[in-house]
Amino acid sequence: MARGGSAAEFVRLRVHAPAKGWLLPLEATPDPAFASGALGPGVTLELLDDVIRAPCAGEVAAVAGERHAVTLDCGNGAQILIHCGIDTVSLKGEPFEPLVAVGDRVETGDPLLRVDLEALVAAGKSAATPIVLVEAGGCSLSFRSDPDGLVEPGAELFELHREGARGANGDPRVENGPVATREVILPLPHGLHARPCAAIAAEARRWPAMVTLRTDGRSAAAGSTVGLMKLGATLGARVEIEARGEQAEAAVEAIAALIERGAGDEIAEPHAAPQAPGQPVILRRANPDGPTEPGLLSGVAAAPGKAIGPAYYVHRARIEVTGNAESPPAEKARLRDALSVLRARLADEDDGAGAAIASAQLAILEDEELVAVAEAKIDAGGSAAGAWQAVMQREAEALRALSDARLAERADDLLDLEQRMLRILLGRESEATAPAGAIVIASDLYPSDLKPLRAAGVAGIATVAGGPTSHLAILAASAGIPMAVAFGEPLCGVEEGELVYLDGDAGTLRHAMAREEVEELRKNLADREASYCAALATAQREARLASGERIEVFANIGSVADAEEAVRLGAEGSGLVRTEFLFLDRAEPPSEAEQAEIYAAIIESFGDRPVSIRTLDIGADKPAPYLPLAKEDNPALGVRGIRVGLRYPELLAGQMRAILRGAGGRTAHIMAPMVSSAGEFAQLRAMLDRVLAETGHAAPVRLGAMVETPASALIAGTLAREADFLSVGTNDLTQYTLAADRTNSDLARDLDALHPAVTRLVGIAAEGCRAHGRMLGICGGAAGDPLAAAVLVGLGARELSVSAARVPEIKQWLSALTLEQCRAAAEAALAAASAEEARGELGRLLGRAE
């Protein structure tokens, strides 16, 4: 490439794909500024390459300050913007390396920008890359073909045609007449990047006056998107708006108001400091836990258990569609036949959590809009496989572009269905296989990958990406396969075949171990297995402390199959029936009859044992499409749990009626999630009273509240006066008390229910229950942690509800402890300065090493 010179004039100019990727129409871009065409016409490319090349010859007109975008002057005043990823300006340039500078002359195919795609995806950003004509300069654009499908670098995208000089909208701007000016302080945290520049340019072109923006000695025509981007204005910059000509005053005020509203972007907090001009300063992150222990990798716990075995990489190659399409009727028939096969396979799934997830995936397949779009692509000449792949990848990317972690994880269901359908259409078998006893290492896996891995007898699963609430994690936990996720790039440093130790409880993986360490870990696992077998042999006995006190050990469940498994493992009831599995991943809520049938089956599974059914806990990370809940900046602190039920009373009242019908003549135990005030519980009680009056239900009903926030723990005495029982959800209580999102892998080590602040709040809740003679239960993860369980009993809990697999172990553990030991453990935990100190002291006190 050369330095200097100007872009050549042209009559026709072909613009080529700057990288390999999936080509999409611009309106499919997961960003309204690009999708609406506000920045100009063009296409979008889902990147599959890490180098972006010049789509045509020209001169580099701009390189974004955050290094995520390059603008080429192609001649005739036409300029093309290549914007790498969506909302990538917020990454402060970290994944990007510009390979050109402003003024460089480039030829078609010359490298412009290098991008770390893995870092981009890990940051939760879309790799959708718009390629748009941001300045027409008297040119028009025509597409060579429908912008859809896989393209190679250099493939022709569109063609520019010179039409003769004219203004931005075909209208000359009036440069004489009245002059108006106004100064604004730029409130945009990422400065003038593509989205706000497009909004300002569109507004400027509405007015007949000539509008100019000036800052720091630079100026640009307000109607030029690229010109505004080249100003390099950052947060806090003083920007002067000047308009000359007709309606100058109105134009200035309109543009100033637009900028002060954010111009389609977010607005920085008032106290945010201006960013200094120049290259961003990247600070090296410190390790809050001090030096990393050699060979120890930290991820996020996803499924409990521990295992040791050889590392085995599962490289799941995506199925690429090749071959020509037959006639549209034949391809449509193939698509419908494959859908029927897949639906039948999903309907045959009857394995607990797998059945619930299969049901959710079936609901996706029943979406006729997806099928209609695929058939439209077939009508346009596509094959059944190619059409299905394009539709599912587009839908998955739309979910991934959302900020909601749970929805992003549901995108995996779409990609799973995509690959399962392609295997049927193309006659392929699943590639997710591994030797028995192996610890599987993968970038990520889909829910359907779990079945062959389970059949192969793998010992554990560790993934580079993934989330702890994904369907894969749920299935692994149900299958008893330890799993940890979100290890990131360090996991790829594990050598295939070397022995590794996976701890699904702590979310860690240990490798590069000495022989002595391996032998010790194997002995510990063997002892653990022997202990579990002994615990299972006595699991049907009533749970009591060694000193004779009765402690009920229940199970947390989410389906009828879960209930049956819990009873088999010795659960004495259920302290938490999660009802979300009935309400999520469907277009409309379940009927009362459907709910009642499921609740009755669960209650029947437990016989005369108590079963506490939690009312619907949705909102935040568990949205439902049929509830018009507004998008929230901080959904974990928004409308969720009981707040949703009280805002949609008929939904909650209907669930109450269904629970009463399901209980029949047995005592119904109903508890509400996320109660944080006495007023909320009073509304809940009044609703139950109305339902009882309407239905004439005569059997006993116990109404409880979950303690999941510091607020509810602190007013537990008030709640206990009105409630029949309280149950502490330690997972949420811990995250809210410690201000640490439990889905954030960076904070995984900080989330420990034995933190003294959490322990003290549980103690306060226990005291509130004692004051009013109410039972305190625990249904969070801490109940299944042996050390924490001893503390919870010492604080006053008399019901521990754990995952079904933990029931035998917790019953055996408690049978070896006296109440005096548990109270001493509670005192030690309350006196500790940290969770780490508490665990160390409890290990010594109770004779249990972790």
Side-chain angles (χ1 to χ4, degrees):
M1 66 187 66
R3 180 71 178 165
S6 58
E9 298 295 305
F10 63 85
V11 176
R12 290 177 179 271
L13 179 69
R14 293 180 177 180
V15 178
H16 304 269
K20 181 179 180 179
W22 285 96
L23 194 61
L24 305 172
L26 193 63
E27 58 267 25
T29 311
D31 181 290
F34 285 107
S36 66
L39 279 87
V43 294
T44 290
L45 188 70
E46 286 278 358
L47 284 183
L48 295 176
D49 280 345
D50 59 359
V51 175
I52 295 174
R53 301 178 181 277
C56 60
E59 181 181 311
V60 178
V63 177
E66 305 295 358
R67 307 188 289 188
H68 64 295
V70 176
T71 305
L72 288 185
D73 185 340
C74 309
N76 292 6
Q79 294 188 334
I80 291 177
L81 169 70
I82 304 104
H83 189 285
C84 185
I86 298 301
D87 196 29
T88 47
V89 66
S90 62
L91 300 180
K92 302 297 183 185
E94 288 192 34
F96 307 107
E97 179 189 355
L99 304 175
V100 291
V102 173
D104 284 351
R105 175 75 190 171
V106 297
E107 299 299 327
T108 304
D110 283 348
L112 301 177
L113 180 70
R114 181 175 285 111
V115 56
D116 184 341
L117 284 176
E118 288 191 5
L120 192 73
V121 174
K125 304 301 181 185
S126 167
T129 296
I131 304 147
V132 296
L133 179 65
V134 288
E135 295 295 332
C139 300
S140 63
L141 178 153
S142 64
F143 293 106
R144 302 294 293 173
S145 59
D146 181 35
D148 200 357
L150 182 67
V151 296
E152 297 293 333
E156 188 174 334
L157 300 181
F158 50 80
E159 191 172 70
L160 302 183
H161 308 266
R162 183 175 181 181
E163 296 180 340
R166 64 184 183 183
N169 267 354
D171 301 322
R173 290 291 182 261
V174 179
E175 299 186 26
N176 53 10
V179 178
T181 62
R182 167 86 183 273
E183 185 178 86
V184 295
I185 304 298
L186 200 65
L188 310 177
H190 307 305
L192 284 178
H193 62 100
R195 188 184 300 116
C197 287
I200 294 168
E203 180 63 31
R205 290 193 289 265
R206 291 182 56 244
W207 300 94
M210 178 68 74
V211 185
T212 303
L213 264 61
R214 297 186 178 91
T215 182
D216 197 26
R218 299 181 296 276
S219 64
S224 168
T225 300
V226 174
L228 294 175
M229 291 168 63
K230 288 162 69 175
L231 288 176
T234 56
L235 171 64
R238 293 182 179 276
V239 178
E240 182 188 57
I241 309 166
E242 180 190 271
R244 291 176 178 270
E246 186 182 348
Q247 300 185 46
E249 186 70 36
V252 164
E253 290 303 318
I255 292 173
L258 178 67
I259 292 173
E260 289 171 344
R261 291 196 306 270
D265 206 4
E266 59 184 357
I267 296 178
E269 295 294 330
H271 60 271
Q275 180 181 332
Q279 290 296 321
V281 176
I282 308 300
L283 299 179
R284 185 176 297 277
R285 178 173 181 246
N287 181 355
D289 300 311
T292 303
E293 183 180 340
L296 181 65
L297 305 179
S298 293
V300 175
K306 299 174 174 64
I308 191 168
Y312 184 87
Y313 280 83
V314 171
H315 301 284
R316 186 191 54 206
R318 293 193 57 76
I319 299 174
E320 300 297 344
V321 177
T322 57
N324 298 322
E326 298 179 20
S327 67
E331 293 295 335
K332 286 181 182 178
R334 290 185 66 219
L335 179 69
R336 293 282 180 173
D337 288 346
L339 283 168
S340 297
V341 172
L342 183 52
R343 286 178 181 136
R345 290 179 182 178
L346 291 170
D348 285 343
E349 179 64 64
D350 59 358
D351 183 19
I357 291 167
S359 177
Q361 292 192 337
L362 265 173
I364 296 172
L365 292 182
E366 297 299 334
D367 186 341
E368 283 298 325
E369 284 190 23
L370 290 178
V371 180
V373 174
E375 290 186 338
K377 289 184 178 297
I378 291 173
D379 286 333
S383 66
W388 183 257
Q389 184 173 61
V391 170
M392 297 305 278
Q393 289 192 359
R394 186 176 302 176
E395 293 296 320
E397 189 53 56
L399 281 183
R400 284 236 164 96
L402 301 174
S403 59
D404 186 283
R406 183 183 176 276
L407 286 178
E409 289 175 356
R410 292 299 83 84
D412 284 347
D413 287 316
L414 294 173
L415 296 176
D416 189 14
L417 289 172
E418 173 220 338
Q419 295 292 292
R420 294 185 75 168
M421 274 285 286
L422 293 183
R423 287 199 292 268
I424 294 170
L425 286 164
L426 302 176
R428 305 276 187 86
E429 294 297 324
S430 172
E431 298 176 354
T433 58
I439 305 294
V440 167
I441 296 178
S443 176
D444 201 0
L445 295 169
Y446 294 149
S448 63
D449 293 326
L450 197 281
K451 189 170 242 182
L453 292 176
R454 180 183 184 182
V458 301
I461 299 171
T463 62
V464 173
T469 62
S470 68
H471 279 165
L472 177 69
I474 294 169
L475 288 171
S478 175
I481 300 175
M483 179 176 171
V485 299
F487 282 96
E489 193 63 30
L491 185 63
C492 299
V494 176
E495 292 186 14
E496 183 155 26
E498 74 166 310
L499 283 174
V500 297
Y501 176 72
L502 178 68
D503 188 336
D505 302 304
T508 60
L509 183 139
R510 191 179 294 276
H511 72 116
M513 298 180 290
R515 179 185 300 175
E516 297 77 11
E517 186 177 9
V518 170
E519 290 175 355
E520 183 180 357
L521 287 171
R522 279 181 164 158
K523 181 180 183 303
N524 290 341
L525 286 176
D527 291 345
R528 183 185 177 94
E529 179 65 22
S531 176
Y532 187 81
C533 290
L536 191 59
T538 60
Q540 298 300 328
R541 296 178 186 172
E542 190 176 73
R544 289 187 179 275
L545 295 177
S547 47
E549 291 80 8
R550 181 80 166 94
I551 306 294
E552 295 178 304
V553 178
F554 291 174
N556 301 327
I557 65 168
S559 68
V560 177
D562 285 352
E564 293 168 349
E565 178 69 1
V567 171
R568 185 186 72 82
L569 294 174
E572 300 174 292
S574 175
L576 171 62
V577 176
R578 302 181 181 93
T579 60
E580 293 73 53
F581 73 98
L582 281 168
F583 289 81
L584 296 175
D585 300 307
R586 56 192 297 165
E588 58 185 24
S591 67
E592 289 181 26
E594 179 185 352
Q595 291 183 64
E597 181 180 357
I598 298 296
Y599 301 150
I602 289 173
I603 292 169
E604 182 67 30
S605 297
F606 281 100
D608 58 356
R609 303 173 182 92
V611 176
S612 293
I613 300 179
R614 182 176 69 186
T615 58
L616 190 56
D617 185 13
I618 58 175
D621 62 336
K622 292 176 284 190
Y626 46 82
L627 289 181
L629 299 174
K631 181 180 178 181
E632 300 180 72
D633 290 336
N634 198 340
L637 301 180
V639 180
R640 61 168 297 194
I642 188 60
R643 295 171 182 171
V644 174
L646 295 178
R647 281 164 174 77
Y648 297 91
E650 188 49 42
L651 185 70
L652 181 55
Q655 187 174 24
M656 286 183 169
R657 288 191 290 268
I659 294 171
L660 297 179
R661 284 174 60 183
R666 297 182 176 88
T667 300
H669 301 257
I670 304 173
M671 66 180 185
M674 297 302 295
V675 175
S676 59
S677 72
E680 287 175 338
F681 191 82
Q683 292 180 67
L684 184 72
R685 176 69 78 179
M687 183 181 293
L688 176 61
D689 289 343
R690 289 194 296 273
V691 168
L692 289 171
E694 292 167 4
T695 60
H697 185 83
V701 179
R702 300 181 73 237
L703 184 64
M706 292 192 69
V707 176
E708 298 175 274
T709 66
S712 53
L714 292 170
I715 63 165
T718 302
L719 291 175
R721 186 170 58 235
E722 305 300 329
D724 297 315
F725 64 94
L726 297 183
S727 183
V728 178
T730 55
N731 298 351
D732 271 322
L733 181 62
T734 302
Q735 81 161 344
Y736 287 128
T737 303
L738 303 182
D741 184 348
R742 58 191 174 112
T743 67
N744 187 333
S745 59
D746 254 7
L747 303 175
R749 285 190 168 188
D750 300 326
L751 280 161
D752 194 327
L754 283 177
H755 187 289
V758 181
T759 307
R760 289 170 196 175
L761 286 172
V762 176
I764 292 171
E767 182 56 41
C769 284
R770 274 194 297 271
H772 298 282
R774 300 290 191 257
M775 188 279 299
L776 178 70
I778 310 291
C779 63
D785 175 342
L787 293 182
V791 171
L792 294 168
V793 170
L795 290 171
R798 293 297 177 265
E799 175 194 296
L800 302 180
S801 196
V802 305
S803 64
R806 293 277 186 165
V807 169
E809 180 184 3
I810 292 299
K811 291 179 80 169
Q812 182 191 56
W813 167 244
L814 293 176
S815 70
L817 299 176
T818 65
L819 183 58
E820 183 180 353
Q821 284 178 300
C822 292
R823 286 174 174 165
E827 291 176 5
L830 290 169
S834 66
E836 185 178 18
E837 181 181 314
R839 288 194 176 278
E841 181 59 28
L842 291 170
R844 289 187 292 273
L845 186 66
L846 301 175
R848 184 184 179 100
E850 293 235 294

